[in-house]
Amino acid sequence: PTSPWWMVTIGAVVAIILGKQVYGGLGYNPFNPALVGRVFLLISFPVQMTSWAMPSPMFLNKMDAVTRATPLGEMKLQLLLTGRVPEFSSSDLFDFFIGNVGGSLGEVSMIALLIGAAYLLYRGYIGWLIPLSFIGSVMIISGIFWLIDPTRFLSPIFHLCTGGLILGAFFMATDLVTTPLTRKGMLIFGLGCGLVTITIRLFGGYPEGVSFSILFMNAATPLIDRFTKPKIFGARTKKNIS
């Protein structure tokens, strides 16, 4: 929310030119253009891209001057300093759910994102396979590590309510141009996104891995389509020929 105008302009130019036009324009880009622009800004301006003003109480048109790390950032920092993850109460999780927490514009309110996702699913603009496999894999893997050592790993509910998981799963990973065409390919794509995301969150240098995971799986989409392409009905196979 506090990003300067020139940074927004740079991100838009990178997203449009490097993320889309160099590949031939709309429908030809192999990577999600918005994520290309965001990752470029994150790598180029890490301080500005990881400093968030805390939201003010409802109906007050002001931002708190004190910046604070996101819950995922706090998790990484506390784990690095003390060897233990911080404790978050149920009220903290509720704040994460409604968006009463610092973070990137558009990703902090889980309830608002779910309402938007429900509308897209209802109208048939997106499918459920990629979001389900994406979110499900993050929940399952984080749950396994949480059961093994809850002092070093936080619960699946925490990972569900924080960061850009919901935004990425429903609004980024479902981009028709950069995702697989088959149902099996969509499941593989979502599982891969979830695996990379939770690996970065738990063991990587960045607190969040949603953007990187989707771009990584965008690069793998042609291979996924190649190996999950269904057989043409009535086509002759080597076995039939022999």
Side-chain angles (χ1 to χ4, degrees), residues 55-73:
S56 62
M58 189 177 294
F59 307 121
L60 293 181
N61 187 24
K62 65 177 183 178
M63 298 293 291
D64 193 336
V66 178
T67 59
R68 180 180 173 183
T70 61
L72 288 171

Side-chain angles (χ1 to χ4, degrees), residues 23-200:
Y23 297 104
L26 183 64
Y28 296 96
N29 51 286
F31 301 99
N32 187 294
L35 292 178
V36 171
R38 188 186 191 283
V39 169
F40 179 88
L41 292 178
L42 181 62
I43 296 174
S44 303
F45 310 100
V47 176
Q48 293 90 335
M49 289 292 291
T50 54
S51 299
W52 295 273
M54 294 300 295
S56 62
M58 189 177 294
F59 307 121
L60 293 181
N61 187 24
K62 65 177 183 178
M63 298 293 291
D64 193 336
V66 178
T67 59
R68 180 180 173 183
T70 61
L72 288 171
E74 291 184 25
M75 177 191 71
K76 284 282 187 181
L77 181 60
Q78 288 294 321
L79 186 60
L80 179 64
L81 296 177
T82 66
R84 298 172 62 93
V85 292
E87 295 183 2
F88 294 99
S89 64
S90 56
S91 62
D92 291 328
L93 294 177
F94 181 73
D95 284 338
F96 302 159
F97 179 73
I98 64 175
N100 187 25
V101 62
S104 298
L105 272 176
E107 77 173 15
V108 294
S109 179
M110 179 179 174
I111 186 172
L113 291 170
L114 289 176
I115 292 172
Y119 176 78
L120 294 179
L121 288 168
Y122 171 74
R123 294 301 301 269
Y125 295 138
I126 64 174
W128 58 271
L129 285 174
I130 291 177
L132 178 65
S133 56
F134 192 164
I135 297 172
S137 58
V138 169
M139 295 285 286
I140 291 173
I141 297 173
S142 62
I144 292 173
F145 281 98
W146 176 59
L147 291 174
I148 293 174
D149 189 357
T151 65
R152 291 184 55 84
F153 304 102
L154 287 167
S155 70
I157 302 300
F158 170 85
H159 286 282
L160 178 66
C161 296
T162 57
L165 178 59
I166 299 299
L167 177 66
F170 286 101
F171 297 90
M172 297 291 185
T174 53
D175 176 29
L176 295 177
V177 177
T178 59
T179 53
L181 301 174
T182 64
R183 294 173 64 87
K184 184 185 297 184
M186 292 178 184
L187 286 173
I188 296 173
F189 183 91
L191 291 173
C193 287
L195 177 61
V196 176
T197 294
I198 198 62
T199 300
I200 294 176

